[in-house]
Amino acid sequence: MSGNVLENNRDVNYIHRETCRICGSKQLYKFLELGPTPLANSFLREDQLKGKEDYYPLDMYFCRKCHLVQLSDIVNPEVMFKDYPYITGTSKPMQKHFFGLAKEVIHEFNIDKNDLIVDIGSNDGTLLQNFSNHGISTLGVEPASNISKLAEQKGISTINRFFNEECAKEIRNEFGPAKAITATNVFAHADDLNGILHGVDALLSDDGIFVVEVPYLLNLLINVEFDTVYHEHLSYFSLHPLIWLFHNYRMDIVNVKQIPVHGGSLRIFIKRAKSIISSSSNIFLQQEKNYNIDSLATYDNFSKNVKSVKYELVELLRKLKGKGKIISGYGATAKGNTLLNYCKIGPGILDYISDTTPFKQGRYTPGMHIPVVSENEFHANPPDYALLLAWNYAKDILIKEREYQSKGGRFIMPIPEPHIIWELISGE
Ligand code: DWN
């Protein structure tokens, strides 16, 4: 394996890198071991249950030099993103989210019909659809072939490959420079961040805007969102290492804002060097300083909190099972599989997990092999308690399931402290 970047090699399942993926430092401090874990989105068919299941180390590291929090065990993306089950367009909250993002980009950066917008990790084209509805030229780049086909069926031109410098140069040669490049829920998934930045540098117009959305490390630490740690998410960003990375490509953050998706994320706007630190960046940098985000003790404390969530959650579920209660999971999420595998919560505790995604129904969760059923099953045989594995949509779900709760059903929130949600929230 050359260097520390996993070549697209179908024969290698994973590598362990010794260096930080942003600054190259070897000063990596391991602060949490979640143990060997199967891929979070590798839901199994019944005939696969007896077969070999691949487990990979899932350990979190902190770079003492640039402060990037990261995984150092990198599963081959060719393995991880084939037959990918996460389809943006199946989530109404995410459709609304991307409508808002497109509106903001068009208005804030005067994007018009003559401009090209490229979306890295474009999934089924949900974001790009909003731009093309305004007559703007769009192009998606999506490595999962099962998903890029869905975008093409919607008329969103999509290149089925990973984005890198070579891909960027081919796009520029054929379509010209991009006025905007977006990367939502993909920047944290890439091992070769320098490859992506070389590509953005090659493709973005001189006055172009690069928009990145990533889950925010501060939310993860404060809300103990350890379940959002899985092999797809290689980096867990704070602003400090991102500023470091963008400066290496003569780019600056011109604005950054916090957004609620996926447990709390950052929406970051980057332009070619203005050599200024935006005032909004300074606010976040101060927030990170106040939280001692550069101190090893912060991560040791996080690790301690994770262990207590595991103890408290298992105790709560065991107590309810001891009283003969029926418990299910709600939302067959990727993060839910980290939580279930780390806490060793299996079919002896959760009878099933309900989910709205047809692809997942009838399958079994990786590792713990809990059956995934449709939401009709949940409504037909309502459990006494439902473990909220899709807690990032808690408000939508609690409103949607008011009737279940009014008949005595109760949801269990796993983080930051496991607890039963007793109060019913009012509809919107
Ligand atoms: O980065 C990623 C994030 C953005 O989304 C991907 N790597 C994978 C994915 O993670 P996830 O599976 O945790 O994502 P979601 O969107 O939180 O998954 C929600 C799941 O819950 C879906 O399978 C749909 C299901 N769901 C449901 O069954 N009933 C969702 C809602 C709102 C519901 O009411």
Side-chain angles (χ1 to χ4, degrees), residues 4-6 17 19-24 28 63 66-71 74 77 81 120 162-166 168 181 183-202 210-215 232-251 268 270:
N4 275 313
V5 174
L6 185 67
R17 65 175 302 150
T19 59
C20 170
R21 66 175 52 87
I22 282 190
C23 70
L28 296 176
C63 174
C66 75
H67 305 161
L68 179 67
V69 172
Q70 56 200 289
L71 304 188
I74 296 123
F81 295 107
I120 303 171
F162 288 96
F163 181 83
N164 53 28
E165 186 173 13
E166 183 199 348
I181 299 175
T184 63
N185 291 312
V186 63
F187 210 60
H189 298 53
D191 179 41
D192 187 8
L193 293 174
N194 287 302
I196 288 189
L197 264 295
H198 279 303
V200 170
D201 193 20
F210 178 34
V211 189
V212 171
E213 283 189 357
V214 287
E232 291 176 24
H233 296 166
L234 292 173
S235 302
Y236 300 81
F237 290 111
S238 57
L239 212 56
H240 185 273
L242 282 170
I243 291 174
W244 182 304
L245 174 68
F246 297 138
H247 272 178
N248 291 345
Y249 295 86
R250 298 169 306 289
M251 294 180 191
I268 308 165
I270 304 111

Side-chain angles (χ1 to χ4, degrees), residues 41 81 84 86 90-91 93-94 185 189 230 232-233 262 330-336 354-357 360 375 389-390 392-393 396-397 400:
N41 268 311
F81 295 107
Y84 194 55
Y86 178 76
T90 58
S91 158
M94 290 313 289
N185 291 312
H189 298 53
Y230 40 91
E232 291 176 24
H233 296 166
H262 302 302
Y330 197 102
T333 57
K335 50 183 166 291
S354 63
D355 194 282
T356 50
T357 314
K360 297 179 183 178
E375 236 164 44
L389 298 172
N392 48 316
Y393 297 121
D396 299 290
I397 292 168
K400 179 169 88 169

Side-chain angles (χ1 to χ4, degrees), residues 56-70:
Y56 306 94
L58 189 56
D59 303 332
M60 293 187 86
Y61 293 81
F62 169 76
C63 174
R64 295 168 188 239
K65 190 172 172 194
C66 75
H67 305 161
L68 179 67
V69 172
Q70 56 200 289

Side-chain angles (χ1 to χ4, degrees), residues 362-409:
R363 289 185 181 236
Y364 296 79
T365 60
M368 299 316 291
H369 300 176
I370 298 173
V372 180
V373 300
S374 72
E375 236 164 44
N376 299 340
E377 172 70 19
F378 172 78
H379 294 131
N381 300 298
D384 299 303
Y385 294 90
L387 179 59
L388 202 44
L389 298 172
W391 49 259
N392 48 316
Y393 297 121
K395 187 162 181 266
D396 299 290
I397 292 168
L398 291 171
I399 290 168
K400 179 169 88 169
E401 300 296 356
R402 275 178 60 81
E403 190 183 338
Y404 163 68
Q405 297 165 88
S406 61
K407 290 177 180 166

